Amino acid sequence: MATLVVTQNPIRQSPTPPALSHGLSLDTTRVNSTPIPNKHLPFCSPGPAPSALLRTPATPPASPPSKHLSLQTFSILYPADTYTKISDDPPVHSIDASTFAAACEHIATQPLPEPKQVFPWFHGLHSENQMQLAFFIARRRSLRRTPKCLRGITVVKAGGDMNSARLKGALAPEELLSPDTSQEPCFLEVDPKDGFSVRNFQIQAAKMAMVSDIVVYRDESSREEEMHTLAKNLATAQQRYRTKCDPSGQEMQVYSTFVLSSPFGEIETESPDLVAVNSSGELTGRVTDFFQWERQEMCEMSKASEICNNVWLGPTPDSTLCISQTDAGEQEPDIYIEASDLARPPSVTTLNRVAELSLSFPQQIEFPSSGSIMPPTWSHAEVDGLMETLRWIYKLANPDMTPDPSDDGSQDSDGDIPMKILSPRSRKMLIHCTDGYTETSLLALAYFMYAECVPTHEAWIRLHCDKKRNFFAYPSDVALLSSIQPRIMQESPRSQGNILSMIPEDPKWISKIDGSLPSRIMPYMYLGNLGHANNPELLKAMGITRVLSVGEPVTWPQEELANWGADNIMFIDRVQDNGVDPLTDEFDRCLNFIGK
């Protein structure tokens, strides 16, 4: 039994970005650069503003108000007057390692405020972004104000080298401060001026710094004067931000800046749980680094596996995240085939040269990524290039299954049987891209169809369910593979005679998919979109028997609903994926349904 959890439909937004390192990278905290596009995030309509009826409580509020409405985050760093002051203008104080550790421990135990008290301020509400303002302010005009309920601790490293001596949650100065040196130091203007988004993750670290006490530290590579100068700049930025947001000085909390007087080595010794990267540049494993954790989870989810004989599918190898195939006791691939948005189908000359060189040492080659060959404008040359690549991969992966001219039983002019040509050794192939499942989907699906002689819809299901591969194809891939399906199967080495009469009729679900299938996130649970949920035939083919739909109901015929049974479908109403509606009140219902 499997459960499908539904979000809204994903769309292709942009090519997969280059990694920030050799491995997967989703670090969107750097606000002075363009946010990393993520075409896997579902697109969501902001939806209509709640009606007056929904905005009006069904019953009067409790009196006195709920404790949740008056929650405040406290910190032992406030007030700062109890600590040694090293600068009067701007005010900067000093703390030691033990005080810093106690402050971090204390702040971690503070209750979080209600989401509606801090969002959509965290989403970014630039005064010139009329689209963003119109959507959010239509609901509550006080949302532009800086939250009063927050007090965090932001850690900044002098020098900004985060490759070593990095404390938990530490940021580089350029992630917070404006690079404009022609004026007094100030925080970066991170609220987006254009466009609408409820997923501005890349600005939230800088936003949090605006409602935090700031602690500046250094390692041995930075001078103490550099740390003090940075602390003064940050303190000035705090003052300017408070003046901007609260000219009267009566409403906004006062946040302070501190320098850490203890050397980094003392923190490593006395408070190792606060050290994410030690002074030698090694991850300590003692800090929950969500970016690193996410990269490792993605790597594990999409780790290379064999989809056909000697043909593997997975992420671009990164020894810092995953154990390499060589380290795991497996043979290193002979040929790496990288799916790239900029690639063109390789020529026959290139393929033959790569095959020859791969007998001596590993080779690399590129192939167009998923979504790169667009209907209806694809050319015969592109399809011919795809077919040539499929034949080439199969021949190298299965040399013993490739017909040998010397096996036809013929004799030469002297009546002798020609010497049998020894087949070269098979080659191991890895089809890869950064995340291991997006850009490679077109080539992987096409090759599976060719090697197994199966139609498009069967390749989709078998690759996902039998081979346990998550993948993200595009509508253009569905159209392309469906159009050339007869040719792929006819030229397959497993083809027997006229394959056209043997191709089964496409199931109903294939015409409804956008290219992607629900992603398996647990052995018993998938995450999908509304299109997946409204495709019951696809769900059945994948073995999914229960559906949890959040914010959007499934629109099935009554007969289909009756067949599934009311107990196997749950709809969470009055909640939209719009950055405003909280889901926390529905967690218990959702978890109980999933746990059945």
Side-chain angles (χ1 to χ4, degrees):
M1 181 182 74
T3 302
L4 176 71
V5 181
V6 181
T7 61
Q8 294 179 327
N9 290 331
I11 61 169
R12 180 173 174 86
Q13 296 180 358
S14 61
T16 297
L20 298 184
S21 68
H22 289 92
L24 304 180
S25 181
L26 299 177
D27 187 351
T28 57
T29 59
R30 294 190 175 274
V31 297
N32 57 342
S33 60
T34 302
I36 294 180
N38 191 334
K39 58 193 170 190
H40 319 305
L41 285 176
F43 170 81
C44 66
S45 166
S51 66
L53 179 61
L54 294 181
R55 291 199 299 267
T56 303
T59 58
S63 181
S66 166
K67 63 179 182 179
H68 296 294
L69 298 179
S70 59
L71 281 178
Q72 296 286 327
T73 304
F74 297 95
S75 171
I76 65 176
L77 297 182
Y78 179 80
D81 297 340
T82 58
Y83 300 100
T84 302
K85 181 180 285 189
I86 64 170
S87 172
D88 291 320
D89 187 20
V92 176
H93 298 78
S94 175
I95 57 175
D96 59 17
S98 61
T99 303
F100 173 67
C104 291
E105 177 67 24
H106 178 265
I107 206 73
T109 64
Q110 294 296 293
L112 293 175
E114 288 288 299
K116 63 184 179 182
Q117 293 182 277
V118 295
F119 288 97
W121 180 81
F122 263 129
H123 293 317
L125 297 173
H126 196 283
S127 59
E128 298 179 19
N129 190 334
Q130 298 305 315
M131 183 182 298
Q132 191 100 332
L133 291 175
F135 173 70
F136 286 119
I137 305 306
R139 287 161 166 76
R140 208 151 39 102
R141 295 189 178 277
S142 62
L143 295 176
R144 285 189 59 188
R145 298 175 185 170
T146 302
K148 304 177 185 178
C149 55
L150 277 179
R151 177 176 288 276
I153 294 178
T154 293
V155 182
V156 182
K157 183 183 179 184
D161 180 6
M162 312 306 288
N163 294 316
S164 63
R166 175 158 58 90
L167 292 177
K168 179 180 181 179
L171 304 176
E174 59 267 23
E175 297 182 61
L176 306 179
L177 291 174
S178 170
D180 186 358
T181 58
S182 63
Q183 58 180 351
E184 281 192 309
C186 61
F187 288 126
L188 284 169
E189 178 59 79
V190 294
D191 290 351
K193 294 180 63 174
D194 303 300
F196 171 79
S197 176
V198 295
R199 292 185 173 87
N200 289 318
F201 306 124
Q202 75 283 354
I203 73 173
Q204 292 180 4
K207 295 283 284 187
M208 189 65 200
M210 299 172 187
V211 289
S212 296
D213 295 311
I214 299 177
V215 178
V216 183
Y217 77 100
R218 68 183 181 93
D219 61 12
E220 294 181 355
S221 65
S222 299
R223 295 178 293 106
E224 185 176 20
E225 293 77 7
E226 182 180 4
M227 178 177 67
H228 288 178
T229 299
L230 173 59
K232 291 177 182 179
N233 289 342
L234 288 166
T236 301
Q238 286 178 321
Q239 290 179 331
R240 293 190 64 186
Y241 183 75
R242 188 167 188 268
T243 301
K244 171 186 174 183
C245 298
D246 181 21
S248 66
Q250 301 299 316
E251 297 185 1
M252 190 173 170
Q253 294 193 57
V254 176
Y255 302 101
S256 303
T257 299
F258 302 82
V259 295
L260 194 53
S261 59
S262 304
F264 184 80
E266 182 177 333
I267 304 175
E268 282 189 292
T269 303
E270 301 297 331
S271 303
D273 289 341
L274 294 179
V275 180
V277 181
N278 63 25
S279 54
S280 300
E282 301 167 332
L283 289 169
T284 63
R286 305 181 72 106
V287 172
T288 302
D289 186 324
F290 287 104
F291 290 119
Q292 182 73 8
W293 191 1
E294 185 173 31
R295 293 170 65 201
Q296 290 174 333
E297 289 288 341
M298 288 182 63
C299 185
E300 179 63 25
M301 178 191 73
S302 61
K303 67 181 180 181
S305 63
E306 193 172 25
I307 61 171
C308 293
N309 183 52
N310 282 324
V311 177
W312 292 61
L313 181 63
T316 301
D318 181 0
S319 59
T320 65
L321 289 176
C322 301
I323 298 176
S324 67
Q325 295 188 16
T326 303
D327 293 338
E330 299 173 359
Q331 174 193 339
E332 181 184 2
D334 299 294
I335 300 176
Y336 294 85
I337 306 175
E338 180 178 9
S340 169
D341 287 335
L342 303 178
R344 307 298 303 168
S347 65
V348 174
T349 302
T350 299
L351 294 175
N352 289 338
R353 181 60 175 165
V354 169
E356 179 183 354
L357 294 175
S358 66
L359 290 170
S360 302
F361 47 86
Q363 295 295 301
Q364 300 187 33
I365 194 172
E366 290 186 343
F367 190 84
S369 65
S370 301
S372 295
I373 304 178
M374 301 291 293
T377 59
W378 67 64
S379 65
H380 288 293
E382 288 177 312
V383 176
D384 290 343
L386 171 63
M387 294 304 304
E388 190 64 43
T389 302
L390 300 182
R391 286 190 291 268
W392 176 77
I393 294 175
Y394 189 88
K395 179 180 179 180
L396 296 183
N398 305 275
D400 294 336
M401 301 179 66
T402 304
D404 189 332
S406 63
D407 288 338
D408 61 4
S410 61
Q411 299 178 348
D412 60 18
S413 57
D414 297 327
D416 297 324
I417 298 177
M419 181 182 296
K420 180 177 177 60
I421 301 174
L422 295 177
S423 298
R425 68 172 177 85
S426 60
R427 256 59 65 84
K428 180 178 179 179
M429 313 271 196
L430 174 63
I431 302 173
H432 68 95
C433 64
T434 301
D435 58 23
Y437 66 91
T438 306
E439 310 301 342
T440 53
S441 297
L442 172 61
L443 181 57
L445 286 163
Y447 181 76
F448 194 86
M449 292 171 63
Y450 178 82
E452 301 293 328
C453 194
V454 295
T456 306
H457 65 269
E458 185 175 340
W460 238 265
I461 294 297
R462 285 181 57 186
L463 197 59
H464 189 84
C465 297
D466 297 346
K467 301 300 181 180
K468 309 300 182 185
R469 296 301 311 182
N470 286 318
F471 56 88
F472 190 97
Y474 298 101
S476 59
D477 299 328
V478 181
L480 172 63
L481 294 177
S482 297
S483 297
I484 64 174
Q485 170 179 277
R487 180 176 176 184
I488 292 177
M489 296 180 66
Q490 185 69 49
E491 296 186 22
S492 167
R494 295 195 177 191
S495 174
Q496 297 180 353
N498 184 8
I499 200 67
L500 298 180
S501 61
M502 301 175 60
I503 298 178
E505 183 179 352
D506 286 342
K508 293 181 180 179
W509 61 260
I510 192 71
S511 62
K512 299 178 182 179
I513 67 172
D514 58 3
S516 67
L517 295 182
S519 296
R520 183 188 300 101
I521 58 176
M522 299 288 284
Y524 55 86
M525 186 163 62
Y526 289 77
L527 179 64
N529 58 43
L530 186 60
H532 298 142
N534 278 323
N535 199 341
E537 296 90 352
L538 170 64
L539 304 185
K540 288 179 181 177
M542 297 181 64
I544 295 171
T545 59
R546 313 183 77 226
V547 176
L548 170 59
S549 185
V550 180
E552 297 284 351
V554 295
T555 54
W556 294 359
Q558 287 298 321
E559 180 181 355
E560 193 71 56
L561 288 170
N563 290 337
W564 280 67
D567 291 342
N568 292 320
I569 299 175
M570 174 177 279
F571 169 48
I572 304 300
D573 197 4
R574 296 176 60 178
V575 174
Q576 291 192 358
D577 186 11
N578 58 13
V580 175
D581 299 338
L583 187 59
T584 49
D585 293 340
E586 304 291 345
F587 278 172
D588 287 342
R589 287 179 61 201
C590 294
L591 294 175
N592 288 336
F593 177 80
I594 294 172
K596 289 182 179 179

